[in-house]
Amino acid sequence: PAARNNDRELLVQFYNDSNGPSWAEQNNWASHAPLSRWHGVTVDPLTERVTKVQLPSNNISGECPLLFSCL
């Protein structure tokens, strides 16, 4: 559970730091919805840990973290 919370915190920080409200697609980002329901987020079904974030052509500003695919 703590690791899942850390994933959520990191994703919310990324959303806030990259002008998330201006993204083209932002469904469920920074919400209390399960991470698997956040646009572009893939989680492992067993651990519920984030395995991939893909946000191509999503009007993201700033730098994309190395762990994410933002192109």
Side-chain angles (χ1 to χ4, degrees):
R4 285 190 309 242
N5 288 338
N6 190 44
D7 287 351
R8 181 178 297 275
E9 290 173 14
L10 290 172
L11 290 174
V12 168
Q13 182 173 349
F14 167 65
Y15 176 81
N16 291 331
D17 290 348
S18 62
N19 199 23
S22 294
W23 290 1
E25 296 284 338
Q26 54 177 301
N27 296 352
N28 293 318
W29 273 80
S31 74
H32 293 290
L35 295 178
S36 62
R37 293 184 180 222
W38 290 23
H39 173 75
V41 176
T42 303
V43 300
D44 181 296
L46 297 176
T47 64
E48 297 181 20
R49 295 291 313 272
V50 174
T51 58
K52 185 182 345 179
V53 177
Q54 290 185 294
L55 301 166
S57 303
N58 208 33
N59 197 33
I60 293 171
S61 63
E63 292 189 31
C64 183
L66 294 176
L67 300 175
F68 299 171
S69 173
C70 300
L71 302 174

